[in-house]
Amino acid sequence: MPDQALPGPPLRVLVADDNPVVRAGLTALLEAHPDTVVVAAARDGEEALACALRHAPDVVLLDVRMPGVSGLDVVRYMRRVEQTQHIPVILLTGFGPDTELTATAFALGVADLLMKPVDPWALRTKVRYLYEAQQRHHNLERELRDLRALVKEHLPDTAPADPAAARIPEQPRRPSTRDGDRLEQGRTP
């Protein structure tokens, strides 16, 4: 089944791996899709951080174990910086399943953890899914900002600052009639 083209701007991916063969392979795999661009291919964690800040990618593919700054350290830093805190990250590891690594990665907010060698179809699917989810999130945020601006534009200037004070007061309940008994106005029993 051939990949379908994504509408809109291209999917921008940052690839970070200390192995040049893996970097080149991931880049080629991702760029084989017509709507995907690898904005940078970093060889270590420091370069990955700089590229994430410079290029603002849609998704980051990040090797866990790199010399110097590890992939987990890159994620820790990204989550503390407003510009990068919401960028989805897929961690890659060639060292097999590790429950401690998995727990740490997901606690940091990593979107996924894949074992090398990666399945090309699975990787492209995950990257595309994360991109589309991120686009939906941005669209919802934009709609929310627009709605808030619209509400603010239509609220009177005298609106109370406390939303609880802006509630519509409850109307007094009218007595109900039963079995044909009617209350007449102006009559007292």
Side-chain angles (χ1 to χ4, degrees), residues 23-65:
R23 268 195 324 271
L26 290 171
T27 299
L29 170 69
L30 292 166
E31 288 188 336
H33 190 278
D35 291 332
T36 303
V37 174
V38 173
V39 292
R43 64 181 172 269
D44 59 38
E46 281 186 48
E47 191 176 357
L49 286 171
C51 290
L53 291 167
R54 186 177 321 116
H55 298 288
D58 298 308
V59 178
V60 173
L61 294 183
L62 187 61
D63 186 21
V64 173
R65 291 187 176 96

Side-chain angles (χ1 to χ4, degrees), residues 49-160:
L49 286 171
C51 290
L53 291 167
R54 186 177 321 116
H55 298 288
D58 298 308
V59 178
V60 173
L61 294 183
L62 187 61
D63 186 21
V64 173
R65 291 187 176 96
M66 293 184 285
V69 179
S70 75
L72 290 173
D73 290 335
V74 171
V75 176
R76 282 184 187 98
Y77 182 80
M78 287 177 66
R79 294 305 179 239
R80 290 191 307 249
V81 176
E82 184 178 349
Q83 182 181 343
T84 59
Q85 67 185 344
H86 297 294
I87 297 174
V89 175
I90 297 175
L91 283 178
L92 306 171
T93 183
F95 293 97
D98 179 340
T99 54
E100 185 177 332
L101 169 64
T102 302
T104 302
F106 287 120
L108 289 171
V110 168
D112 209 344
L113 178 65
L114 298 177
M115 301 298 154
K116 294 182 201 174
V118 294
D119 176 310
W121 182 85
L123 179 64
R124 281 195 309 262
T125 301
K126 288 174 190 269
V127 166
R128 180 178 295 176
Y129 172 80
L130 290 172
Y131 173 72
E132 290 172 354
Q134 191 76 341
Q135 293 305 306
R136 284 190 300 274
H137 176 76
H138 289 311
N139 289 340
L140 287 173
E141 282 183 336
R142 189 173 29 259
E143 286 179 30
L144 183 59
R145 277 193 308 272
D146 292 347
L147 285 172
R148 284 182 178 155
L150 188 62
V151 166
K152 187 175 182 180
E153 182 180 303
H154 287 67
L155 282 180
D157 291 337
T158 58

Side-chain angles (χ1 to χ4, degrees), residues 161-179:
D162 179 18
R167 286 190 217 148
I168 297 172
E170 284 189 36
Q171 298 295 321
R173 295 184 138 210
R174 294 183 182 178
S176 63
T177 61
R178 287 190 195 156
D179 301 324

